[in-house]
Amino acid sequence: MRCKKCGATAAIHMRQHKLALCEMHYVDWFQAQTERFIGKYRMFAREERVLIAVSGGKDSLALWDVLLALGYEADGLYIDLGINGGLDYSKQSLARIEGFLAGREGGSLHVVDIAGVYGATVPEAARLTRRGRAKPCAVCGLVKRHVMNRVARDGGYDVLATGHNLDDEAAVLFGNTLNWQLGYLARQAPVLPASADGLARKVKPFFRFYERETAAYALVRGIDYLYEECPFSVGATSIRHKMTLNLMETDSPGLKLQFYLGFLRAKEAGALAGMAEARPVMEPCERCGQPTTAGVVCAFCRLWEARRSGDER
Amino acid sequence: MRCKKCGATAAIHMRQHKLALCEMHYVDWFQAQTERFIGKYRMFAREERVLIAVSGGKDSLALWDVLLALGYEADGLYIDLGINGGLDYSKQSLARIEGFLAGREGGSLHVVDIAGVYGATVPEAARLTRRGRAKPCAVCGLVKRHVMNRVARDGGYDVLATGHNLDDEAAVLFGNTLNWQLGYLARQAPVLPASADGLARKVKPFFRFYERETAAYALVRGIDYLYEECPFSVGATSIRHKMTLNLMETDSPGLKLQFYLGFLRAKEAGALAGMAEARPVMEPCERCGQPTTAGVVCAFCRLWEARRSGDER
């Protein structure tokens, strides 16, 4: 395989695009594609300030790398969830992010240590809730959403970006479609506009890249990222869905991309318009002020109140 | 495993229903379920005349068996497509249907021999069209839809029934969803009402049964059906989708049923309402009078006209 641009030995071949590229031209292509997606889906403008949720994995570090290379003002947010899992997972993640930053100019990092701020790690807090007892994933998602939104708002950022790639998004869409989760389908999008009631705009600039494409970019750029998945993700439905989609992709190159883009087109055509009504009403939480569908006190604040009353027992 | 009704050794265990039954109670359950689906989805009434499209396979013969057992007036339609495939497929199919009929009272059979009536078998006719050259499946579907509709109308039947099971329907839904085929999604349903412009009402009384359930019913009832799939079905996308769904079903018993019923619920809730607009306008064909979206002459009539002009060359 030869690079389509220069004829040198190709470093990556993307079957779904019928495109092979050498390392140098792959980096150019990947950055230009990201710029194109940011514009095409109106994610953010040149002068807007971007907060990237970074985990220490390939996707979020690659996203930070690309946005800085493209000249955006992009800072990072690392949420230390206090996950150990026998490999000091959260500490290792932070070390990768610090290593990434050490080698470059521009971009500062916010670190929120959940145990330090709220008095317990996410696995500890999850043990108190019924749905968190087996796995802390639901509680973890709740905590991350709240903290990302708070830091974006308090820091005056225009937009919150995450590194979700096509494999992530297609797996979520696949799960929501298998269950016809209309409320979730209505809200799944590469851009969620800021809401009047206080939710930051959320964007996913990598949503059209395959996971192997973001991994290849991180590799070529020499980004030292954490390979391990979160230890709690073992057996997750989303991982099963990714495997199923990968099996289908092998038979039909481009299937994942067509599936996701077809969904966006169907939505845009108004074909799924009835779903919007499934969207629940949001009210500000009495404690933290963030919008919630859960009544007067949001699930995040209730979590920590339950935790405190548990401590008192 | 013991039968839930009588404690005898179970013949089948349906994980998704958490139900095990002996042979006798399985037959009772299967027939009662069919009756329930016919009523619940308003497929047809006691006094209506049903035409069943029979292929000689397990599903359509089981359906005929059940409808006769339940006391419905149900006749069969066999369309001889002239498929050989090295095993005299169409002849073998008809032999199974005649064997089925020999052993029972009630129910008569219409046979339409495509080569006899239209001058060529389906594989022969398909060779003339571009889309039929590799595989005659598209042409075959076109021919079957036309003939089923014609015989239902000419014979004064109230409703046309097919033996499609859940595995069939879920695989079609899966394919249509992966591609977000809105027009097809709008039309996929266990009951398609008769249209003012001349399409017969179509129903699928077995759409909630797993394939292994219809196979078990045919086995227990001693129905001698044709095991072989159509020789042209090798490598069909629908077969790949069935395999994918079966892999997922193994991990999550009931997944296929939930997927399909969730789709019906979403449609009923109006969530997919925008899709209806994707439905094309139908006009009667100038030649045969059946409604068509293809202009003045329907695809079925054009097929045979192309065939005739091919003969003249």
Side-chain angles (χ1 to χ4, degrees), chain A residues 173-174 177-178 180 182 185 240-241 244-245 247-248 251-252 255 258-260 262-263 266 269-275, chain B residues 173-174 177-178 180 182 185 240-241 244-245 247-248 251-252 255 258-260 262-263 266 269-275:
Chain A
L173 177 61
F174 192 65
T177 308
L178 282 176
W180 297 96
L182 302 176
L185 286 171
R240 284 215 311 270
H241 289 336
T244 302
L245 286 165
L247 283 173
M248 290 193 287
D251 282 332
S252 318
L255 179 139
Q258 291 315 314
F259 175 50
Y260 193 80
F263 165 70
L272 312 174
M275 293 187 317
Chain B
L173 177 62
F174 192 64
T177 308
L178 281 177
W180 296 96
L182 302 176
L185 286 171
R240 284 217 308 273
H241 290 336
T244 303
L245 286 166
L247 283 173
M248 290 193 285
D251 281 332
S252 316
L255 179 139
Q258 291 315 314
F259 176 50
Y260 194 80
F263 165 70
L272 311 174
M275 294 186 318

Side-chain angles (χ1 to χ4, degrees), chain A residues 80-101:
Chain A
D80 186 338
L81 304 159
I83 293 172
N84 182 325
L87 56 113
D88 237 350
Y89 184 74
S90 289
K91 292 276 162 298
Q92 293 272 354
S93 302
L94 182 55
R96 294 309 193 290
I97 297 167
E98 286 167 343
F100 171 88
L101 272 182

Side-chain angles (χ1 to χ4, degrees), chain B residues 146 285-288 290-292 294-303:
Chain B
H146 179 93
C285 166
E286 275 192 1
R287 304 278 190 283
C288 70
Q290 284 199 26
T292 175
V296 281
V297 179
C298 76
F300 179 84
C301 292
R302 274 189 286 123
L303 170 71

Side-chain angles (χ1 to χ4, degrees), chain A residues 294-310:
Chain A
V296 281
V297 180
C298 76
F300 179 83
C301 291
R302 274 189 285 121
L303 170 71
W304 299 105
E305 285 171 12
R307 165 82 198 164
R308 273 192 296 277
S309 60

Side-chain angles (χ1 to χ4, degrees), chain A residues 182-189 191-192 204 267 275 278-280:
Chain A
L182 302 176
Y184 291 152
L185 286 171
R187 279 188 291 283
Q188 191 175 358
V191 180
L192 285 176
K204 297 168 182 171
K267 248 176 134 169
M275 293 187 317
R279 176 144 201 187

Side-chain angles (χ1 to χ4, degrees), chain A:
Chain A
M1 280 283 174
R2 299 259 143 214
C3 174
K4 193 180 177 174
K5 301 274 179 182
C6 69
T9 304
I12 187 165
H13 173 221
M14 292 167 285
R15 280 178 73 192
Q16 79 283 6
H17 298 310
K18 295 190 179 69
L19 180 64
L21 293 168
C22 70
E23 289 200 357
M24 192 187 78
H25 285 116
Y26 182 63
V27 168
D28 287 352
W29 177 84
F30 191 90
Q31 292 180 354
Q33 286 286 89
T34 309
E35 182 90 300
R36 189 168 82 82
F37 300 152
I38 291 168
K40 182 178 168 75
Y41 297 96
R42 294 161 198 240
M43 294 187 178
F44 45 86
R46 274 269 143 223
E47 66 281 5
E48 289 190 297
R49 294 179 61 230
V50 184
L51 179 67
I52 307 174
V54 282
S55 68
K58 64 186 183 319
D59 300 301
S60 54
L61 290 181
L63 178 58
W64 205 355
D65 182 83
V66 171
L67 293 190
L68 291 177
L70 292 172
Y72 287 100
E73 188 183 338
D75 292 338
L77 163 62
Y78 176 68
I79 304 175
D80 186 338
L81 304 159
I83 293 172
N84 182 325
L87 56 113
D88 237 350
Y89 184 74
S90 289
K91 292 276 162 298
Q92 293 272 354
S93 302
L94 182 55
R96 294 309 193 290
I97 297 167
E98 286 167 343
F100 171 88
L101 272 182
R104 66 196 72 212
E105 308 246 321
S108 64
L109 178 68
H110 304 262
V111 176
V112 175
D113 172 11
I114 296 297
V117 177
Y118 298 100
T121 67
V122 161
E124 284 165 1
R127 258 171 241 133
L128 273 178
T129 69
R130 220 179 339 147
R131 65 173 178 173
R133 215 159 287 166
K135 279 200 179 265
C137 305
V139 167
C140 185
L142 174 72
V143 167
K144 285 191 291 194
R145 280 192 299 277
H146 178 94
V147 171
M148 288 190 298
N149 202 55
R150 179 173 67 71
V151 175
R153 194 185 56 188
D154 293 354
Y157 289 95
D158 300 292
V159 60
L160 178 69
T162 54
H164 293 100
N165 59 44
L166 178 66
D167 293 53
D168 299 324
E169 294 303 295
V172 169
L173 177 61
F174 192 65
N176 288 341
T177 308
L178 282 176
N179 297 306
W180 297 96
Q181 299 264 28
L182 302 176
Y184 291 152
L185 286 171
R187 279 188 291 283
Q188 191 175 358
V191 180
L192 285 176
S195 69
D197 47 21
L199 287 176
R201 186 192 331 154
K202 285 187 192 131
V203 299
K204 297 168 182 171
F206 281 0
F207 83 100
R208 288 180 59 154
F209 287 126
Y210 281 64
E211 180 163 40
R212 64 186 284 271
E213 293 167 8
T214 63
Y217 180 84
L219 199 75
V220 172
R221 291 285 284 168
I223 296 170
D224 177 28
Y225 63 87
L226 193 65
Y227 287 86
E228 281 78 15
E229 299 277 343
C230 173
F232 290 109
S233 72
V234 176
T237 314
S238 61
I239 292 183
R240 284 215 311 270
H241 289 336
K242 282 185 183 181
M243 287 169 58
T244 302
L245 286 165
N246 284 339
L247 283 173
M248 290 193 287
E249 177 84 22
T250 307
D251 282 332
S252 318
L255 179 139
K256 274 185 279 200
L257 188 57
Q258 291 315 314
F259 175 50
Y260 193 80
L261 294 183
F263 165 70
L264 292 186
R265 266 196 307 273
K267 248 176 134 169
E268 197 149 322
L272 312 174
M275 293 187 317
E277 290 156 29
R279 176 144 201 187
V281 179
M282 306 275 253
E283 299 281 354
C285 165
E286 275 194 0
R287 303 278 191 280
C288 70
Q290 284 198 27
T292 175
T293 60
V296 281
V297 180
C298 76
F300 179 83
C301 291
R302 274 189 285 121
L303 170 71
W304 299 105
E305 285 171 12
R307 165 82 198 164
R308 273 192 296 277
S309 60
D311 285 347
E312 284 157 18
R313 261 187 260 132

